[in-house]
Amino acid sequence: MNATTQTIATQPDASTTLTGAEVLMKVLVDQGVEVVFGYPGGAVLPIYDALFQQDRIRHILVRHEQAAVHAAEAYARSTGRVGVVLVTSGPGATNAVTGLLDALMDSVPVVCLTGQVPVSLIGNDAFQEADTTGITRPATKYNYLVKRPEELAPVVNEAFEIARSGRPGPVVVDLPKNITVGPAPYAPPSRTPRASYQPRTEPDRKAVARAVAAMKSAKRPLFYVGGGVINAGKEACADLTRLIHMTGFPCTATLMGLGAFPGSDKQFLGMLGMHGTYEANLATHDCDVLIALGSRFDDRVTGRVDAFSPHSFKIHADIDPSQINKIIRVDVPIVGDAGRIIAMMIEEWEAQTAKPDTKALETWWSRIKAWKALDCLRFTQDKSADAIIKPQQAIKRIYELAVETGRETFVSTEVGQHQMWAAQFFKFESPNHWLTSGGLGTMGYGLPAAVGAQVAHPDALVIDISGEASALMNIQELGTIAQYRLPVKIFLINNHYMGMVRQWQELLHGSRYSESYSDALPDFVKLADSFHAKGFRATKMSELDDTIRAALEHDGAAVIDICVAEGENCFPMIPSGAAHNEMILGPEQEEKGAEITDEGKMLV
């Protein structure tokens, strides 16, 4: 029987005695959970039995617990809801740790339910016992070990509240088997907040007013937008667009902030940071007022901290007070929900009578347009039929042909050069459609993330842009895609190298490509076939467009092996440890020898 159909339409009556597993099902339903990503094992069999006996929650059987978390992350990020994971004790829980840390770094709301040995056996080195709360403490926003039946419902309800509120993040609930097997009382969700957890969402009006006063006096302003704005919701993103249009200021975004502001808008400068655009990075370096919204000054953005936007008056809005002045000292800190802060900025912009310096702003835009005219993402593609495909050309055409379909499109990526090219060449017009591992940089993220996005949006076009090395990290999830008939399109940008590793080996280690080349790869077309998907391959320019179109038009899952130039590097780039105005724009500058300090080498 297919896992999607093995349900019976029964719900336990609250008046009857419920097992802990049955209580758990009721609480998940209370929390609006419709999908759980997981993998069964001995410690969670009572929960799987309770799942079998209900028809409200769908379970997606993944092939590896790490993939369960990535799928739940993408489900959460593409819907704005909490992603839910269910794994067993011991190795089931430890396999989930990479995903949990990934969710923590990127502020993704996930509740991970882990099985545990019975309370009486904890500490006895029982079969598949692991100190799950101890192991996951640094990888989660919060975690619990439920030791008494009456704790079960309140703890799970509280886990959802903590995961989704404040700065979102992953929460683990460790469930000993005796808790889920034995009787437990049911309790409905409570709005009573935990005394020790009081996220501050309402911003200080005076701080916002001071920030807007600085914005009105700016001569070279710049908005710098991060994923916190997307986490604040679609209304926050709509208000952000309104605010930026009201001010006329330029805007740049972090990797995680792509989509918060329309990518094709004339006021958008593209991504900033290590592989950001020339105009975004130069504007960051030269601006006089920097308005950082929902971003955390990641080292991939700041480069050399002491040279980061050295002459600007800095405004930093973040819901996490621990991020304020953590990396970059700022002039106006604002703690609160990004949506509330942006809405309040709009009110203040309209209320304050001071007029912005429009002449200075025109001059600032003239400088920016001169930087844009450099066309920093340009590349040279031989258009002859037998020409080798450049990876930039492949990704550019995937984007353009996906747009031609007119379908709502979600894009996940693995990690590496292809990830940066996707960030450079795709234009995300709305939030929640770009799914990538930013903080942890997890190879193997994209394929299971595509699973989560396709489950959440069954009628949408879901694309995974991948390198061949990253894809192999979680390639077993092709089995999940086959089982649930998910029409995911997996584009492999295949250069036989761990491309970003190779690029850094050129810069830092004299082009000694130590273990970054994959000499033996599977035949991805045959691999697709073995997982009941359709395989495609393009090896030269004349095949590229037709192959992409055929894959996009295919009714089911597809793996598209695009063989690209092996030695192509990703530009522009800021050498690690350098300032934003010290970018390398192309291979010519790289060959002359990019100057990378010893401190910078440590940051790779």
Side-chain angles (χ1 to χ4, degrees):
M1 181 182 292
N2 188 296
T4 59
T5 62
Q6 54 181 224
T7 60
I8 55 176
T10 59
Q11 275 293 302
D13 187 327
S15 64
T16 63
T17 300
L18 304 178
T19 67
E22 290 168 335
V23 168
L24 179 62
M25 290 304 109
K26 283 185 65 66
V27 173
L28 295 181
V29 170
D30 288 344
Q31 292 293 338
V33 175
E34 295 177 348
V35 180
V36 172
F37 300 89
Y39 201 98
V44 287
L45 283 183
I47 301 174
Y48 273 86
D49 193 52
L51 269 171
F52 189 91
Q53 298 185 70
Q54 56 82 52
D55 61 358
R56 303 283 294 276
I57 300 171
R58 184 186 184 194
H59 181 272
I60 301 296
L61 175 64
V62 297
R63 276 28 179 190
H64 192 284
E65 291 87 351
Q66 179 187 345
V69 186
H70 295 327
E73 285 184 87
Y75 180 91
R77 289 167 64 173
S78 67
T79 63
R81 304 170 69 180
V82 176
V84 182
V85 178
L86 173 59
V87 297
T88 195
S89 62
T94 57
N95 281 347
V97 171
T98 297
L100 292 170
L101 187 57
D102 190 275
L104 182 72
M105 296 282 279
D106 286 344
S107 306
V108 183
V110 168
V111 169
C112 181
L113 306 167
T114 57
Q116 183 55 277
V117 301
V119 170
S120 61
L121 293 183
I122 291 176
N124 289 346
D125 296 332
F127 177 67
Q128 292 196 332
E129 181 191 359
D131 177 9
T132 299
T133 53
I135 291 168
T136 62
R137 184 166 294 118
T140 54
K141 183 177 177 182
Y142 204 84
N143 65 15
Y144 301 86
L145 171 61
V146 178
K147 289 186 175 180
R148 295 182 299 162
E150 58 269 28
E151 295 173 350
L152 176 61
V155 159
V156 176
N157 279 317
E158 191 173 83
F160 275 85
E161 183 62 22
I162 290 177
R164 68 164 72 94
S165 62
R167 180 179 177 177
V171 179
V172 161
V173 182
D174 202 23
L175 299 166
K177 193 168 184 178
N178 62 301
I179 298 294
T180 54
V181 170
Y186 166 74
S190 169
R191 285 289 177 190
T192 305
R194 170 179 280 247
S196 60
Y197 179 70
Q198 301 284 343
R200 183 171 152 192
T201 58
E202 189 64 15
D204 178 359
R205 168 73 71 173
K206 290 181 180 176
V208 174
R210 190 175 166 221
V212 170
M215 289 160 59
K216 288 217 167 183
S217 67
K219 298 185 184 305
R220 301 185 307 280
L222 178 68
F223 280 99
Y224 152 42
V225 178
V229 177
I230 294 175
N231 282 340
K234 291 181 180 178
E235 188 175 348
C237 295
D239 281 349
L240 173 75
T241 301
R242 185 181 167 209
L243 175 65
I244 292 174
H245 287 167
M246 286 171 70
T247 61
F249 295 176
C251 169
T252 183
T254 68
L255 181 70
M256 303 307 293
L258 295 175
F261 184 71
S264 62
D265 194 286
K266 63 183 181 182
Q267 288 175 243
F268 187 58
L269 308 186
M271 183 175 71
L272 83 163
M274 182 174 281
H275 290 288
T277 65
Y278 184 66
E279 53 268 29
N281 283 327
L282 268 289
T284 303
H285 186 272
D286 286 0
C287 69
D288 70 342
V289 174
L290 184 71
I291 310 123
L293 301 174
S295 54
R296 60 183 176 85
F297 297 102
D298 178 83
D299 62 272
R300 262 31 185 183
V301 164
T302 60
R304 211 177 93 206
V305 171
D306 65 346
F308 176 75
S309 193
H311 309 298
S312 66
F313 182 91
K314 296 178 181 64
I315 299 160
H316 184 198
D318 202 293
I319 199 165
D320 184 352
S322 73
Q323 292 299 319
I324 302 294
N325 291 325
K326 180 177 179 179
I327 297 169
I328 299 293
R329 298 290 301 179
V330 300
D331 301 285
V332 180
I334 310 172
V335 176
D337 174 77
R340 284 293 301 133
I341 293 167
I342 293 167
M344 204 175 278
M345 281 183 166
I346 291 173
E347 293 168 7
E348 283 294 327
W349 186 269
E350 291 174 333
Q352 293 188 17
T353 55
K355 301 294 183 187
D357 189 339
T358 53
K359 189 171 181 181
L361 189 58
E362 286 176 10
T363 303
W364 178 226
W365 270 111
S366 295
R367 288 180 63 187
I368 291 171
K369 287 174 182 173
W371 293 329
K372 288 183 80 168
L374 191 69
D375 190 13
C376 68
L377 299 182
R378 69 187 183 281
F379 60 93
T380 303
Q381 172 66 62
D382 181 347
K383 297 294 179 64
S384 58
D386 291 333
I388 297 172
I389 302 165
K390 288 282 186 81
Q392 301 97 318
Q393 177 74 9
I395 292 174
K396 181 171 177 283
R397 291 305 289 156
I398 294 168
Y399 165 66
E400 292 169 347
L401 295 176
V403 170
E404 282 185 10
T405 69
R407 299 177 62 190
E408 183 179 25
T409 302
F410 294 83
V411 177
S412 68
T413 74
E414 306 289 344
V415 168
Q417 287 179 319
H418 66 274
Q419 178 190 30
M420 294 297 108
W421 280 315
Q424 292 173 340
F425 288 99
F426 270 75
K427 296 186 190 311
F428 294 96
E429 305 299 332
S430 55
N432 306 105
H433 289 69
W434 166 242
L435 311 165
T436 196
S437 174
L440 194 60
T442 307
M443 292 174 72
Y445 172 88
L447 184 49
V451 169
Q454 192 76 78
V455 168
H457 308 277
D459 297 325
L461 173 61
V462 176
I463 291 173
D464 174 29
I465 305 284
S466 176
E468 78 291 341
S470 263
L472 289 172
M473 285 273 188
N474 267 321
I475 197 71
Q476 76 285 343
E477 296 311 315
L478 286 174
T480 307
I481 288 170
Q483 180 160 339
Y484 298 97
R485 295 180 174 83
L486 304 174
V488 172
K489 316 301 181 195
I490 302 140
F491 286 93
L492 301 171
I493 310 301
N494 187 350
N495 64 1
H496 283 250
Y497 274 102
M498 299 167 209
M500 196 60 85
V501 173
R502 179 185 50 72
Q503 185 165 345
W504 280 110
Q505 286 174 332
E506 287 181 7
L507 277 170
L508 302 175
H509 300 288
S511 298
R512 294 181 291 281
Y513 302 130
S514 178
E515 303 298 329
S516 57
Y517 184 78
S518 296
D519 199 23
L521 291 171
D523 182 326
F524 287 106
V525 173
K526 291 180 180 175
L527 184 70
D529 184 59
S530 70
F531 278 104
H532 315 289
K534 178 78 172 174
F536 298 85
R537 178 171 292 123
T539 60
K540 52 188 177 182
M541 268 300 290
S542 60
E543 298 169 343
L544 181 63
D545 281 14
D546 289 345
T547 301
I548 296 172
R549 281 197 181 94
L552 293 176
E553 291 170 1
H554 178 60
D555 198 27
V559 178
I560 308 95
D561 184 16
I562 303 180
C563 304
V564 299
E566 292 188 354
E568 194 71 9
N569 283 340
C570 186
F571 296 105
M573 72 174 295
I574 302 174
S576 192
H580 285 73
N581 61 345
E582 297 171 337
M583 298 184 73
I584 301 174
L585 293 176
E588 300 82 8
Q589 281 180 282
E590 183 189 28
E591 288 169 3
K592 289 176 183 174
E595 186 174 341
I596 301 178
T597 64
D598 289 342
E599 184 181 359
K601 292 176 182 176
M602 299 300 111
L603 299 175
V604 172

